[in-house]
């Protein structure tokens, strides 16, 4: 069964730790991971949690305890994962626009590496020849994902090496006799269309024929979760059977078999997360009734940055009659979480909760307007545990030369 934290639990946590506060339900993460492993149980699939979504060490440790591996997008994420006790062979470094020195550091750590530019591929080949198996991130030139900002596989995207450069890629690989173990694509975030997902898979399967050393196809992340009732989502069961069919067909045609890697971020942690805020001000205007809260896009940037929808509920008056409110943050510029949204009647001092706040919420938070970043609490086995303290004034000054 799927899980979610109750209004009472969330209210209690907000009372104890103050607002704004991020709360994560460990059981929901477990549920999400198990639903992936269940659907792919009869395929050689491995799941690397894309930890850019949420890197709190307690979350990483919990996900590691489930048996997952980890996908990192900076050398510091690699180091945080190592700090959390995750062994190097369970870490993958999929980078973009980075200097070769970061790749050298990742190599020294002994983690798996996907390279996403021809120049870094050439440098890697020159330095390590065939001594270090490595992956190549390809750009399949297909458009997939929720919107342009979170699509990464199209023909104007900076990510991966475009597949029309395949001859140049092969020339580099042959020149240095490289051991290419993995071919990778990640075409975007929030891909609910399984046929579209499979377009990328088919391209990868075809290209893999050109690389006799490749034993793994990394299909990236991008599974969509629902944000509201009736919202679209990736049908993982349908995807698993489509992938099984495609890989079986490739085996029949070429005799080649591959391990399958995935890098889910949102799927793992979006729905586990809640951001709780207090209503500071109610303001009736001729256009709308504003409900101002003690958080803003400095803490949850997704609505302003991607036009993302986050459900908003009034924890303090769950049974109240719904009215239309425009829920706005306290950042000193336009900072709208929701315009004219139905919410149970709000009074100043009420607690509001933003759902689906686990992925790219706290992780993209900033100190804009010199506000403190929120505390984080993880609920595991029914017990709330503070896993990051709210920042203090000292944190704002920490690196300033005074
Ligand atoms: N693998 C790679 C190489 C990626 O670049 C990403 C996400 C993922 C995996 C995980 O994708 P997911 O399963 O989470 O969709 N901040 C945006 C999302 C940006 C995703 C960036 N790359 C948002 O809040 O919607």
């Amino acid at each position: 069964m799927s899980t979610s934290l109750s209004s009472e639990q969330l209210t209690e946590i907000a009372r104890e730790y103050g607002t704004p506060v991020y709360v994560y339900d460990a059981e929901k993460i477990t549920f999400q991971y198990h639903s992936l492993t269940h659907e792919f149980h009869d395929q050689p699939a491995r799941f690397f949690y894309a930890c850019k979504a949420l890197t709190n060490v307690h979350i990483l440790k919990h996900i590691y305890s489930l048996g997952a591996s980890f996908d990192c997008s900076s050398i510091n994420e690699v180091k945080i994962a190592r700090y959390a006790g995750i062994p190097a062979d369970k870490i993958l470094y999929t980078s973009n626009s980075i200097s070769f020195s970061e790749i050298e550091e990742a190599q020294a750590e002994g983690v798996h590496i996907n390279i996403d530019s021809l120049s870094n591929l050439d440098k890697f080949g020159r330095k390590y020849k065939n001594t270090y198996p490595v992956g190549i991130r390809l750009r399949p030139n297909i458009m997939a994902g929720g919107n342009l900002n979170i699509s990464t596989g199209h023909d104007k995207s900076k990510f991966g090496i475009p597949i029309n450069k395949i001859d140049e890629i092969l020339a580099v690989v042959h020149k240095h006799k490289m051991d290419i173990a993995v071919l990778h694509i990640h075409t975007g975030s929030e891909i609910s269309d399984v046929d579209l997902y499979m377009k990328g898979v088919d391209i990868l399967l075809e290209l893999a024929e050109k690389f006799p050393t490749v034993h793994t196809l990394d299909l990236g992340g991008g599974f969509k979760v629902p944000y509201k009732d009736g919202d679209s989502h990736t049908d993982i069961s349908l995807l698993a059977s489509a992938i099984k069919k495609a890989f079986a067909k490739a085996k029949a045609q070429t005799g080649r078999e591959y391990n399958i890697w995935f890098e889910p971020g949102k799927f793992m942690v979006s729905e586990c997360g809640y951001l709780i805020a207090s209503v500071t001000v109610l303001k009736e205007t001729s256009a709308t009734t504003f409900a101002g809260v003690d958080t803003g896009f400095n803490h949850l940037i997704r609505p302003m940055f991607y036009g993302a929808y986050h459900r908003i509920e009034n924890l303090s008056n769950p049974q109240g009659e719904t009215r239309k409110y425009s829920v706005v943050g306290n950042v000193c510029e336009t900072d709208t979480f929701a315009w004219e949204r139905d919410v149970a009647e709000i009074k100043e001092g009420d607690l509001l909760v933003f759902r689906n706040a686990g992925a790219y919420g706290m992780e993209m938070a900033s100190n804009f307007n010199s506000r403190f970043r929120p505390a984080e609490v993880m609920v595991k086995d029914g017990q709330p545990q503070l896993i990051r303290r709210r920042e203090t004034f000292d944190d704002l000054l920490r690196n300033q030369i005074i």
Side-chain angles (χ1 to χ4, degrees), residues 9 38 103 116 145 153 230 263 368 372 388:
Q9 264 174 307
H38 172 75
I103 295 180
D116 106 323
E263 302 162 356
F368 187 43
F372 308 141
R388 187 194 298 262

Side-chain angles (χ1 to χ4, degrees), residues 50 52 71 137 150 186 189 222 263 265-266 302 306 360 364:
K52 63 171 78 65
D71 177 47
R137 177 171 186 172
I150 55 174
H186 168 79
S189 199
E263 302 162 356
K266 279 180 189 159
R302 305 194 67 255
Y306 309 108
Y360 310 106
M364 294 178 80

Side-chain angles (χ1 to χ4, degrees), residues 248-261:
K249 188 168 156 209
K251 186 184 170 195
Q253 285 170 351
T254 66
R256 305 264 310 262
E257 286 182 90
Y258 304 98
N259 301 311
I260 310 166
W261 288 1

